[in-house]
Amino acid sequence: MPKQRRLAAAIALVCALTALAAPGTAFADPAPTPSTTAPAQPRTLEEVGKQIDDLYRQAAVATDAYNLAEEQTKQQSAQIVQLAQEIVKGQDKIKRLKDQAGATARMQYRNGGLPPGAQLMLSGDPETFLDGADALRQGQQAAQGVLGELNRTQADLAAYSKDATAQWKNLEANRVKKEAAKKDITEKIAAAEKLQDQLKEQEKQRLAELERKKEFDSQTAWLSTGILKEINGSASEQGKKAVKFATDQIGKRYVWGAAGPDTFDCSGLTSQAWISAGRPIPRTSQEQWAQLPHVAIKDMRPGDLIIYFADATHVGMYIGDGAIVHSPRPGRTVTITGAGSMPILGVVRPDK
C-alpha cells in the first residue's frame, strides 16, 4: 500500500475512534439496518431526551384526561344511586297514595255507591247533616290533596327517570373517554421506555446528567430574576399540614392515575395533601388551575400549588426557599426540585 494511502486510512480510523469515544454525543438505533436501505442517521442524545420528554408530556396530558373522566364517572355513579333511591321512595309513595284513594273508593262502594253528600241529604236528621257537612268538606279536601300529591309524585318520578337515563349516557361516554385515555397513556409510556431501553448504561447516565443540567439551568435563570427576594409569605395552618403530607410521601413511586397511599401521580399528590389538611380540591392539575383562586408568583406561600406548562398538565406544591415537592413522571419518585425548573403557568391557592 503506498504511503499516502496508508496515511489516509490511519487518519480515517483515528477520526472514527474519536467520534465513538465522545461521551453521550450521539445515539444510534441498535436495531440492525436492512442492507437494502440507507443507514439511519445517528440522533444526538439531546434529541433522544427531548423525544422521551415529549412522550411523557403527552402521557401526562392523557393522564389528566383519564383522571377527569374517572372523577366525573364517580360523581355520575353517585348521582345515579341517589336517583335510584329517589325513584324507589317515589314508587313507595305512589303505592301508599293509591292505597288511600282505593280505601275511599271501597268505603263509597260499601255505602251503596252514593257520594257522601247524598248520604247526608237522605239522613233526614238536620243535626247529623250539619255535623257531617264539615267532615265532608275536610274529606273532600283530603281527597283532592291525595290526588294532587299523587300527580306531583308521578311527575317527580318521570323527571328522576329522565335524569337517570341522561346520567347513564354520560357515564358510558366517560367510560369510553377513560379507555381511550388509558390506551394513549400506556402507548406513550411504552414508547418512551422503549427509547430508554435502547440506550446503553453510559448513555442513560449521560441523559440523566443532561436532564439535571436542564433543570438546574432553568432554576438558575428563574432565581436570577430576583423573584425569591419578593417571595416571603408564611404558610397557613392548613398549608403547613398539606406540605407535611406531601413531603412525607417523598420516595414513593409515580404511577399515573394514582392518588395514594403508596403511589401518586402529580395531581394525586397535591389533591390528597390538601384533603389531609381538610380542604378538598379538584383532582386534576387542569381543574386545579381552572377552579382554584390564582395568586401572583411573588405572593405565593408554602402550600400553594404551582401549575406548569401552557396546558396545565403538571403541578407541584411550593414548600418554600424556591423549591417544590412533586411526583414527576413514570419511572420517578416523589421528590423535591426547584420551583423554576419547569415552565410556570401560574400559582393557585386552595385555602384562599
Side-chain angles (χ1 to χ4, degrees):
M1 179 183 292
K3 183 177 181 181
Q4 290 181 340
R5 288 180 62 189
R6 288 199 302 272
L7 180 60
I11 292 172
L13 179 60
V14 169
C15 290
L17 291 173
T18 302
L20 289 172
T25 55
F27 166 65
D29 192 334
T33 304
S35 58
T36 56
T37 60
Q41 291 297 317
R43 291 171 291 172
T44 66
L45 201 57
E46 288 82 354
E47 290 173 335
V48 173
K50 183 181 184 305
Q51 191 173 356
I52 291 172
D53 284 344
D54 288 345
L55 287 166
Y56 280 130
R57 286 273 300 112
Q58 292 169 37
V61 173
T63 298
D64 235 36
Y66 177 91
N67 288 337
L68 180 59
E70 172 72 8
E71 200 69 8
Q72 290 174 339
T73 297
K74 289 179 182 177
Q75 293 171 0
Q76 287 154 0
S77 296
Q79 288 171 347
I80 288 171
V81 170
Q82 185 177 359
L83 286 167
Q85 292 171 342
E86 294 295 334
I87 288 171
V88 169
K89 286 193 290 185
Q91 289 172 337
D92 290 342
K93 188 174 182 180
I94 284 176
K95 182 178 183 302
R96 188 176 68 251
L97 292 170
K98 284 183 176 180
D99 287 344
Q100 292 178 17
T104 302
R106 287 191 296 273
M107 182 182 295
Q108 183 174 327
Y109 176 78
R110 286 195 298 270
N111 290 327
L114 291 175
Q119 294 173 28
L120 287 172
M121 291 293 290
L122 294 173
S123 67
D125 184 349
E127 187 174 345
T128 301
F129 177 80
L130 291 173
D131 290 341
D134 186 56
L136 175 61
R137 184 175 64 254
Q138 292 178 0
Q140 288 173 336
Q141 290 175 346
Q144 290 173 354
V146 168
L147 291 174
E149 193 171 358
L150 182 60
N151 290 334
R152 286 192 297 273
T153 304
Q154 287 174 330
D156 287 343
L157 271 179
Y160 291 148
S161 297
K162 183 178 179 181
D163 198 5
T165 300
Q167 291 296 347
W168 272 114
K169 290 180 180 178
N170 290 337
L171 186 65
E172 183 58 29
N174 274 316
R175 283 176 176 160
V176 172
K177 289 179 184 177
K178 277 176 56 180
E179 288 306 310
K182 181 178 180 179
K183 183 174 182 290
D184 196 15
I185 294 165
T186 53
E187 286 178 352
K188 296 299 188 297
I189 292 176
E193 290 175 345
K194 182 178 179 180
L195 279 173
Q196 289 174 308
D197 290 342
Q198 290 174 347
L199 294 172
K200 296 177 182 178
E201 190 58 37
Q202 184 181 5
E203 290 172 323
K204 290 178 181 178
Q205 293 175 6
R206 175 61 179 155
L207 184 59
E209 291 173 8
L210 290 172
E211 290 174 357
R212 287 192 291 269
K213 183 178 185 305
K214 180 181 177 182
E215 291 181 359
F216 177 81
D217 290 346
S218 296
Q219 176 73 353
T220 301
W222 184 66
L223 293 176
S224 68
T225 64
I227 187 65
L228 206 56
K229 295 177 182 177
E230 301 181 57
I231 302 173
N232 51 23
S234 299
S236 65
E237 287 305 311
Q238 281 187 307
K240 290 176 183 177
K241 292 177 182 178
V243 168
K244 183 179 186 309
F245 178 94
T247 52
D248 283 348
Q249 313 313 311
I250 289 173
K252 293 185 177 180
R253 290 187 306 114
Y254 176 104
V255 172
W256 65 267
D262 300 318
T263 55
F264 296 88
D265 62 20
C266 67
S267 57
L269 177 66
T270 54
S271 60
Q272 288 301 308
W274 273 100
I275 286 174
S276 76
R279 175 72 170 89
I281 63 173
R283 169 64 176 85
T284 71
S285 57
Q286 291 177 333
E287 289 301 300
Q288 289 169 5
W289 175 245
Q291 297 185 34
L292 297 178
H294 293 200
V295 296
I297 293 176
K298 65 181 180 63
D299 296 326
M300 70 180 175
R301 64 192 188 193
D304 288 348
L305 306 181
I306 303 181
I307 309 296
Y308 293 96
F309 304 107
D311 53 4
T313 49
H314 190 70
V315 59
M317 179 178 291
Y318 187 63
I319 60 174
D321 297 323
I324 62 166
V325 58
H326 74 143
S327 188
R329 64 169 175 79
R332 302 294 171 80
T333 60
V334 176
T335 189
I336 291 175
T337 192
S341 60
M342 295 169 284
I344 296 175
L345 176 62
V347 180
V348 294
R349 178 165 296 164
D351 60 340
K352 185 172 181 180

